Amino acid sequence: METRETNEILNRRLIHLSQEASRFSSMADENKRLRSMLDFKERSEYNLLSALVLSEGIHKSVNSLLLNRGKKDSIQVNDPIMNVDGVIGKIFFVGESTSLAQLLIDPNSRLSVRIEPSGAKGILQWYGGNRYLIADIPNTMAVQPGNLVVTSGLSDIYPGDLPVGVVRELSPAPDGFTHIVYGDFLVNFNQIREVFIILE
């Protein structure tokens, strides 16, 4: 009986220690993320406002995030959002203290981009998962796997040169003159906890 009771006590302590270790690990990850965000904000040329992701967006027809910033924080519709990895999307609805951000992985989202170093420009759209495609890239442009994709600067919403993704492969289009470029977003859309809103 004593041995059984001792084992139960030890098991409870082991579970408690395991929970504590998990909590400390989570706190260390959060500290690392926040430190990285602070460094990024200090180096950025933009007026950045940090925001917490409260939940996935409640709008049924848009792939979105609910953020803890709103009109009281000077947030406006079409303000771009990003994190230290790259572009995430834009604000499409603003409440008094919260807002909704449409993600680049929304089927209706479009983004004007440029592929470096060739300078090829096109319109990026979600392709599934964490992938995208860019159609109508002339096959005379020297685009290769590993090339960086950034915002083009031609948009009225997004500033130029913000990182978006990396080229993974090219596929000849049926017209014989262009390529379809496939790539991966730099942002992991499954692990967004904090974002930056770019203010005017």
Side-chain angles (χ1 to χ4, degrees):
M1 290 289 293
E2 289 181 359
T3 302
R4 186 180 303 160
E5 289 177 0
T6 301
N7 285 339
E8 289 177 357
I9 292 172
L10 291 174
N11 282 335
R12 285 197 294 270
R13 287 180 179 174
L14 184 61
I15 291 172
H16 177 73
L17 288 173
S18 176
Q19 290 173 338
E20 286 294 298
S22 177
R23 186 169 67 87
F24 285 132
S25 176
S26 177
M27 289 173 63
D29 289 343
E30 182 180 13
N31 187 35
K32 184 178 179 181
R33 286 198 318 273
L34 294 177
R35 191 179 299 275
S36 176
M37 287 184 69
L38 181 60
D39 291 342
F40 181 83
K41 185 174 182 179
E42 290 177 349
R43 290 184 283 107
S44 177
E45 62 185 280
Y46 302 107
N47 181 15
L48 301 178
L49 178 67
S50 60
L52 292 176
V53 175
L54 300 177
S55 68
E56 292 185 359
I58 55 176
H59 201 288
K60 293 182 179 180
S61 62
V62 180
N63 196 337
S64 61
L65 295 175
L66 179 65
L67 307 179
N68 71 334
R69 300 287 192 176
K71 292 178 182 176
K72 65 180 180 61
D73 304 295
S74 302
I75 304 303
Q76 299 179 31
V77 171
N78 286 335
D79 283 346
I81 66 168
M82 64 181 303
N83 64 12
V84 296
D85 296 318
V87 177
I88 293 172
K90 65 179 180 180
I91 301 294
F92 77 96
F93 174 81
V94 183
E96 186 60 33
S97 58
T98 59
S99 58
L100 285 171
Q102 180 187 27
L103 304 178
L104 292 181
I105 58 172
D106 180 77
N108 298 311
S109 179
R110 300 291 184 271
L111 180 64
S112 176
V113 295
R114 185 178 71 250
I115 304 172
E116 297 292 6
S118 68
K121 296 180 179 67
I123 302 299
L124 176 147
Q125 62 188 73
W126 180 58
Y127 183 62
N130 219 53
R131 304 194 74 202
Y132 60 81
L133 67 81
I134 310 167
D136 301 323
I137 298 297
N139 55 21
T140 55
M141 304 295 287
V143 175
Q144 299 178 350
N147 285 170
L148 179 67
V149 176
V150 299
T151 51
S152 68
L154 300 177
S155 168
D156 292 332
I157 298 174
Y158 298 92
D161 300 317
L162 298 178
V164 178
V166 176
V167 173
R168 291 304 179 204
E169 60 181 301
L170 290 82
S171 177
D175 62 19
F177 301 102
T178 62
H179 279 122
I180 301 173
V181 172
Y182 298 92
D184 296 327
F185 288 108
L186 293 173
V187 171
N188 184 342
F189 287 91
N190 294 319
Q191 297 182 355
I192 303 175
R193 295 181 176 87
E194 304 91 10
V195 302
F196 285 118
I197 303 170
I198 302 178
L199 303 178
E200 292 185 0

